[in-house]
C-alpha cells in the first residue's frame, strides 16, 4: 500500500476498531483463577478479586430440606476481569447479575464461572468495586472431609447447623471460600415459627410475617467464610453484656440447657482472662451455640459464637474462645498454617489449667510430649488434607508455643503474643510470618527451635 492509500484508510481502520470495542460486550481482561493453589485444597477460593462484603438472604424450610438464597457479593477486582469464579456445592443457580446486568453462568462441579454482560463501560477493570447477585435454591449438601468428618449443612433433630471448616461454607452460599479472603457479612435468615435462626455477629433485627420470622445478623469485622454459621432450631436464647461492654448472645437447645448453664456463665470471665494473656478481645460480640448431643460430632470456633455439639466443659469453652484471637482475628494464610490456630488454642487450655486448676503448664507439656500421636508428623507440615486436624497440629503445636516461651522470659513471651495479635488483627498470617515476627521482636536466631519442634520429623530431647 502506498502512503496516500494508507493515509486514506486510517480513519476507516480507526472506526472499525472503535466499533469492535463498542460491540465487545465488556469482555476484556482475563478470567480470574479458579483456585488459589492452597497446599491441601488447590481448587478452593478464586483469583482476580477480593470480596469485601456478603449480603445473604436465606429462606430455610427444614421440614422440606430446602434452602432458597440470594447472595449479594461486593468485591474489588485485583486484575482486569473478563470472567470470575465462585465456589458453590450442590445448589441450583437460578440467575446472576453483575452491576445489575444479567451475567452468563457456567458450572463445572463446585465451580461457577460468572461472565459479565453489558457494554464497554461495564468492564471490570483492576481496582473497580463491583456487585454480583446470585439467586439459588435446593437441598443443601453435607460435605465429607478428607478425614471422614462431616461439614457443610448438617441436619439436626429440629433444624440444621452450618459448619464450614475447611470447605463446607460453599454448601450454603456462593463465594470466595478460602481463608485468605475475609469480608464483612449481613446474614438474614427466615425460618418457620417456633424455630430460631442464629448466626455470627450482632442481631440487628427480628421481624415476623404470618408464621415465619426473619433474623438479621451483622458481622462488622472481617471474617473468613469457614467461620460463618447459621443454626436453626428450637433454642433458648439469652442476651447480656460483659463488664467491658461486649455483647453476649447464647442459643442453647433445651435438652442441653441445664448441663450448659454453669459453663456458659463463665464466658465473661474467660474473655477477661484471655484478654490479659492475648490482648484486647478483637470483636464487639461473643457467645455460643449449644446443640443437643448427637446433632454434630465436634465443636467449631465460628466467629463470635462457637458451636458446641452438646454441653461443653470449661476446657473446651476456653479452647474455642481462644480461637477468637487465634484463627478468627489472626486467620491462617493457607490451611498449612492451621497449627497457629490450634497450637495457641490448645496452649490456652494449658494456661487456664495452670491459673485455675493448679495444673502446671509443664505437666500439660509433659503429657503431650509422652503422647506418641503428637509425633506422627511436624505440626507445620501435615502430609495431606487427611491429617489436617490430627494430634500434632494441636498437641505438638502447643509444645512449639511453650518451647518458645522457654526460649525467652515470661514477660517477653506474653508481650510477644499480645504484639502478634495486634500486628495481624483481622488479617491473615502464615507460619513464616510468625517465625519472622518472633525473631525480629526478640532479636534471637531461633532456627534450632523451629527445626526441632516445628518442622522436625522426630521427637527432640525434652531438655534440648
Amino acid at each position: 500500500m502506498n502512503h496516500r492509500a494508507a493515509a486514506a484508510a486510517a480513519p476507516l481502520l480507526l472506526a472499525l476498531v472503535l466499533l469492535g470495542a463498542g460491540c465487545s460486550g465488556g469482555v476484556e481482561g482475563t478470567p480470574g483463577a479458579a483456585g488459589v493453589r492452597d497446599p491441601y485444597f488447590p481448587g478452593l477460593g478464586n483469583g482476580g478479586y477480593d470480596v469485601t462484603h456478603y449480603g445473604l438472604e436465606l429462606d430455610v424450610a427444614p421440614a422440606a430440606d430446602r434452602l432458597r438464597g440470594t447472595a449479594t457479593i461486593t468485591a474489588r477486582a485485583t486484575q482486569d476481569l473478563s470472567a470470575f469464579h465462585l465456589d458453590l456445592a450442590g445448589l441450583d443457580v437460578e440467575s446472576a447479575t453483575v452491576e445489575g446486568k444479567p451475567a452468563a453462568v457456567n458450572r463445572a462441579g463446585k465451580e461457577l464461572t460468572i461472565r459479565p454482560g453489558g457494554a464497554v463501560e461495564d468492564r471490570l477493570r483492576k481496582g473497580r468495586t463491583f456487585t454480583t447477585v446470585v439467586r439459588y435454591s435446593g437441598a443443601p449438601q453435607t460435605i465429607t472431609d478428607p478425614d471422614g468428618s462431616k461439614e457443610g449443612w448438617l441436619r439436626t433433630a429440629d433444624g440444621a447447623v452450618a459448619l464450614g471448616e475447611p470447605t463446607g461454607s460453599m454448601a450454603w452460599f456462593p463465594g470466595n471460600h478460602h481463608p485468605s479472603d475475609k469480608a464483612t457479612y449481613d446474614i438474614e435468615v427466615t425460618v418457620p415459627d417456633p424455630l430460631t435462626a442464629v448466626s455470627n455477629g450482632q442481631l440487628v433485627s427480628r421481624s415476623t410475617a404470618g408464621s415465619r420470622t426473619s433474623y438479621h445478623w451483622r458481622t462488622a469485622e472481617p471474617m473468613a467464610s469457614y467461620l460463618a454459621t447459621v443454626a436453626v432450631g428450637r433454642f433458648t436464647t439469652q442476651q447480656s453484656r460483659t463488664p467491658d461492654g461486649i455483647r453476649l448472645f447464647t442459643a442453647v437447645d433445651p435438652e442441653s440447657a441445664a448441663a450448659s448453664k454453669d459453663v456458659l456463665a463463665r464466658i465473661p470471665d474467660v474473655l477477661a482472662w484471655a484478654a490479659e494473656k492475648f490482648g484486647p478481645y478483637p470483636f464487639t460480640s461473643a457467645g455460643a451455640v449449644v446443640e443437643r448431643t448427637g446433632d454434630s460430632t465436634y465443636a467449631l470456633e465460628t466467629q463470635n459464637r462457637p458451636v458446641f455439639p452438646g454441653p461443653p466443659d470449661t476446657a473446651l469453652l476456653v479452647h474455642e474462645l481462644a480461637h477468637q484471637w487465634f484463627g478468627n482475628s489472626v486467620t491462617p494464610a493457607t490451611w498449612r498454617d492451621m497449627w497457629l490456630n490450634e497450637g495457641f488454642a490448645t496452649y490456652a487450655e494449658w494456661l487456664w489449667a495452670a491459673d485455675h486448676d493448679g495444673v502446671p503448664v509443664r505437666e500439660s507439656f509433659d503429657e503431650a510430649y509422652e503422647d506418641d500421636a503428637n509425633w506422627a508428623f511436624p505440626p507445620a507440615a501435615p502430609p495431606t488434607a487427611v491429617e489436617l486436624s490430627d494430634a500434632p497440629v494441636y498437641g505438638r503445636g502447643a509444645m512449639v508455643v511453650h518451647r518458645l516461651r522457654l526460649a525467652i522470659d515470661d514477660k517477653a513471651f506474653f508481650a510477644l503474643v499480645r504484639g502478634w495479635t495486634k500486628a495481624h488483627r483481622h488479617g491473615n498470617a502464615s507460619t513464616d510470618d510468625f517465625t519472622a515476627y518472633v525473631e525480629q521482636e526478640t532479636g534471637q536466631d531461633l532456627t534450632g527451635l523451629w527445626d526441632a519442634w516445628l518442622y522436625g520429623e522426630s521427637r527432640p530431647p525434652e531438655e534440648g
Side-chain angles (χ1 to χ4, degrees):
M1 181 180 293
N2 63 38
H3 295 294
R4 181 176 298 179
L12 176 60
L13 290 172
L14 178 60
L16 289 173
V17 169
L18 293 175
L19 180 61
C23 295
S24 68
V27 181
E28 293 195 8
T30 56
V36 297
R37 299 181 183 273
D38 185 271
Y40 302 107
F41 305 97
L44 191 64
N46 304 285
Y49 65 94
D50 172 60
V51 178
T52 57
H53 185 75
Y54 289 96
L56 305 178
E57 298 176 32
L58 309 176
D59 191 296
V60 181
D65 195 22
R66 297 289 295 177
L67 167 68
R68 180 173 293 278
T70 299
T72 302
I73 304 168
T74 304
R76 180 182 58 85
T78 57
Q79 66 179 66
D80 290 349
L81 284 172
S82 60
F84 58 92
H85 294 261
L86 297 171
D87 303 316
L88 184 67
L91 296 163
D92 299 320
V93 175
E94 298 170 0
S95 66
T97 62
V98 176
E99 289 295 275
K101 295 180 173 61
V105 181
N106 294 316
R107 186 163 202 162
K110 298 173 183 177
E111 289 288 337
L112 298 181
T113 302
I114 309 294
R115 190 171 296 278
V120 173
E121 61 270 17
D122 298 317
R123 290 176 295 186
L124 301 184
R125 293 285 197 186
K126 181 179 179 180
R128 177 177 177 176
T129 297
F130 63 96
T131 299
T132 302
V133 178
V134 180
R135 291 177 172 82
Y136 58 99
S137 63
Q141 291 186 355
T142 296
I143 294 174
T144 300
D145 289 336
D147 65 2
S149 60
K150 305 292 185 182
E151 59 165 331
W153 193 263
L154 306 178
R155 280 74 183 172
T156 63
D158 56 1
V161 62
L163 301 177
E165 187 179 40
T167 68
S169 293
M170 68 172 69
W172 58 282
F173 69 96
N176 196 10
H177 291 296
H178 189 266
S180 60
D181 192 359
K182 301 169 73 170
T184 57
Y185 283 73
D186 278 273
I187 301 177
E188 184 173 342
V189 190
T190 301
V191 295
D193 298 333
L195 302 182
T196 299
V198 183
S199 188
N200 311 86
Q202 297 180 10
L203 182 61
V204 176
S205 65
R206 176 181 181 275
S207 59
T208 299
S211 61
R212 299 179 67 79
T213 299
S214 298
Y215 299 82
H216 180 182
W217 295 88
R218 176 170 295 154
T219 303
E221 301 93 355
M223 177 169 70
S225 66
Y226 81 91
L227 298 168
T229 189
V230 167
V232 176
R234 296 174 181 264
F235 294 115
T236 299
T237 63
Q238 183 174 352
Q239 299 186 60
S240 61
R241 286 180 183 265
T242 70
D244 294 335
I246 300 167
R247 296 185 182 185
L248 297 182
F249 188 101
T250 58
V252 184
D253 187 285
E255 291 192 7
S256 298
S260 301
K261 182 179 178 181
D262 291 344
V263 172
L264 295 183
R266 306 193 75 173
I267 291 176
D269 294 337
V270 173
L271 292 177
W273 170 85
E276 291 183 1
K277 302 290 186 184
F278 311 136
Y281 181 68
F283 305 108
T284 55
S285 60
V289 175
V290 183
E291 296 283 359
R292 72 180 68 183
T293 302
D295 278 348
S296 62
T297 59
Y298 57 89
L300 187 63
E301 63 270 22
T302 44
Q303 191 156 305
N304 316 117
R305 198 153 291 111
V307 174
F308 297 98
D313 59 21
T314 302
L316 183 57
L317 180 71
V318 169
H319 184 102
E320 302 306 335
L321 291 181
H323 272 308
Q324 306 305 308
W325 284 262
F326 305 105
N328 297 14
S329 177
V330 185
T331 303
T334 75
W335 285 112
R336 180 171 285 159
D337 307 304
M338 185 169 158
W339 81 271
L340 285 168
N341 300 9
E342 301 301 347
F344 271 101
T346 302
Y347 197 66
E349 293 184 59
W350 297 1
L351 293 174
W352 178 272
D355 288 353
H356 296 84
D357 303 322
V359 180
V361 171
R362 178 55 187 257
E363 186 174 321
S364 298
F365 178 95
D366 287 346
E367 183 178 345
Y369 182 86
E370 295 300 328
D371 186 350
D372 291 341
N374 285 322
W375 302 99
F377 56 84
T384 70
V386 174
E387 294 85 16
L388 197 58
S389 296
D390 280 5
V393 176
Y394 292 73
R396 190 172 165 188
M399 282 188 272
V400 173
V401 176
H402 189 60
R403 294 301 302 192
L404 172 61
R405 182 181 175 184
L406 295 179
I408 59 180
D409 62 63
D410 269 16
K411 182 178 179 180
F413 171 78
F414 286 106
L416 185 78
V417 172
R418 289 190 290 269
W420 170 254
T421 62
K422 180 180 180 181
H424 294 278
R425 182 182 175 96
H426 301 317
N428 295 87
S430 68
T431 300
D432 287 346
D433 292 331
F434 179 71
T435 56
Y437 179 86
V438 168
E439 296 195 356
Q440 178 179 346
E441 293 298 309
T442 63
Q444 296 187 40
D445 181 355
L446 297 171
T447 301
L449 189 156
W450 310 134
D451 287 349
W453 294 90
L454 186 56
Y455 292 107
E457 295 290 345
S458 60
R459 184 169 2 203
E462 189 170 356
E463 298 300 332

